[in-house]
């Protein structure tokens, strides 16, 4: 049986309070004006107004079903207060804060409280985490629901993991890329519990494949097939693709999308440095 962990020193909790306050401030300061309004942010707010006028609709312009987990708090904020830019971002802020909490819970279950605090601090202050917490679109909830998926997988809960995957796909179809990590974590957990029967493996793999196929079939018309073939046969484009992944994970992509220039945007040296940090 695992021995109970020693309580953390009071100074550590003081540091946690200071870091938590700083992370919250970075997510809420001047929420109604920084960054400026983006057309995508206004979409949910306008749809809520249209519903009030009797013009209901349940699909986004790209054909995705509306994300109820983003819609509900946004509608509540607009119902309680006058429509404003900050009310379009309330759901993003709440999701960003909850992501830090879930990251701590998962980290503590996997390792220990000190390690979990480090993980939570990293999640709290990652540039892309801060940016998505201040940007009012439903994809801002992707990180939260991916962490919830990993939490279910870490707990060895097969049914709950499948439900969490379905919900994550509902939030945004690109969350399908988190499925392999969740599947590996779930398999490891079930194996450690002696519950990894052949039937469970087949069911889990089958459900994962079904999720991938559903997303692929639903969005196959959006895939640039010829570009994908060209990129796969060009070393230069492989290198450029790697750089784009580094910019995505470092936060440059989202900052460029919001403001037109990310931190270190178009700087090969900084991208190389970020890539080294991510690999470490």
């Amino acid at each position: 049986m695992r021995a109970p962990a020693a309580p953390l020193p009071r100074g550590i909790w003081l540091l946690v309070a200071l870091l938590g306050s700083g992370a919250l401030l970075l997510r809420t300061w001047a929420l109604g004006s920084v960054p400026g309004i983006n057309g995508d942010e206004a979409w949910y707010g306008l749809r809520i107004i249209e519903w009030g006028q009797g013009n209901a609709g349940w699909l986004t312009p790209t054909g995705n079903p509306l994300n109820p987990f983003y819609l509900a708090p946004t509608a509540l904020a607009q119902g309680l207060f006058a429509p404003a830019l900050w009310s379009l971002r309330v759901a993003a802020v709440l999701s960003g804060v909850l992501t830090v909490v879930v990251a701590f819970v998962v980290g503590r279950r996997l390792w220990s409280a000190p390690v979990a605090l480090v993980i939570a601090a990293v999640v709290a202050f990652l540039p892309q985490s801060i940016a998505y917490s201040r940007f009012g679109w439903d994809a801002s909830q992707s990180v939260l629901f991916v962490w919830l998926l990993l939490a279910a997988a870490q707990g060895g809960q097969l049914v709950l993991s499948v439900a969490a995957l379905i919900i994550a796909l509902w939030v945004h179809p690109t969350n399908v890329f988190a499925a392999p990590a969740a599947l590996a974590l779930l398999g490891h957990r079930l194996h450690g519990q002696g519950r990894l029967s052949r039937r469970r493996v087949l069911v889990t793999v089958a459900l994962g494949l079904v999720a991938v196929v559903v997303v692929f079939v639903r969005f196959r018309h959006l895939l640039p097939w010829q570009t994908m073939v060209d990129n796969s046969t060009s070393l230069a484009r492989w290198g450029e693709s790697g750089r784009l992944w580094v910019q995505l994970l470092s936060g440059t992509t989202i900052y460029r999308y919001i403001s037109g220039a990310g931190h270190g945007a178009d700087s090969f040296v900084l991208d190389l440095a970020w890539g080294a940090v991510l690999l470490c």
Side-chain angles (χ1 to χ4, degrees):
M1 185 176 178
R2 188 175 179 179
L8 294 174
R10 186 173 299 176
I12 295 296
W13 288 114
L14 177 61
L15 178 61
V16 170
L18 291 174
L19 290 175
S21 301
L24 186 61
L25 179 63
L26 288 172
R27 286 164 169 78
T28 56
W29 172 80
L31 187 63
S33 58
V34 179
I37 184 66
N38 183 285
D40 287 341
E41 294 184 275
W43 192 87
Y44 266 87
L46 291 174
R47 179 49 57 90
I48 292 169
I49 293 175
E50 289 176 352
W51 277 356
Q53 299 172 347
N55 301 320
W58 293 97
L59 297 178
T60 67
T62 57
N64 297 337
L66 290 179
N67 175 3
F69 308 102
Y70 198 92
L71 179 66
T74 304
L76 180 62
Q78 288 196 192
L80 294 176
F81 307 95
L85 178 55
W86 69 266
S87 66
L88 300 175
R89 296 170 171 171
V90 167
V93 174
L94 294 175
S95 300
V97 173
L98 287 175
T99 300
V100 177
V101 176
V102 174
F104 174 80
V105 172
V106 175
R108 185 175 60 180
R109 288 180 177 178
L110 284 175
W111 294 287
S112 63
V115 174
L117 287 175
V118 173
I119 294 173
V122 170
V123 172
F125 288 97
L126 276 175
Q128 62 266 45
S129 295
I130 296 171
Y132 272 106
S133 294
R134 301 182 62 92
F135 195 60
W137 62 354
D138 50 357
S140 294
Q141 293 185 320
S142 287
V143 179
L144 171 62
F145 283 91
V146 166
W147 270 104
L148 291 173
L149 169 61
L150 296 177
Q154 186 275 333
Q157 301 295 326
L158 177 57
V159 175
L160 190 59
S161 297
V162 173
L165 176 60
I166 293 173
I167 293 174
L169 293 175
W170 191 348
V171 168
H172 204 274
T174 54
N175 291 332
V176 69
F177 294 108
L183 182 61
L185 186 57
L186 178 63
H188 174 75
R189 192 67 174 176
L190 293 177
H191 177 73
Q193 296 174 348
R195 298 164 52 201
L196 195 60
S197 64
R198 178 176 296 182
R199 179 176 176 274
R200 286 181 179 273
V201 172
L202 292 176
V203 170
T204 304
V205 172
L207 290 172
L209 289 175
V210 168
V212 172
V213 170
V214 168
V215 172
F216 175 78
V217 172
R218 176 64 183 81
F219 297 99
R220 66 186 186 280
H221 62 286
L222 300 177
L223 295 176
W225 295 104
Q226 187 58 50
T227 302
M228 292 168 65
V229 172
D230 293 341
N231 288 346
S232 65
T233 58
S234 170
L235 290 178
R237 290 182 177 178
W238 273 97
E240 181 62 22
S241 178
R243 185 182 180 189
L244 291 175
W245 272 105
V246 169
Q247 291 181 351
L248 175 65
L249 296 174
S250 69
T252 294
T253 300
I254 181 60
Y255 279 94
R256 180 188 287 124
Y257 181 77
I258 293 175
S259 65
H263 54 287
D266 301 321
S267 171
F268 178 78
V269 175
L270 287 178
D271 285 340
L272 192 64
W274 270 113
V277 170
L278 292 169
L279 287 175
C280 292

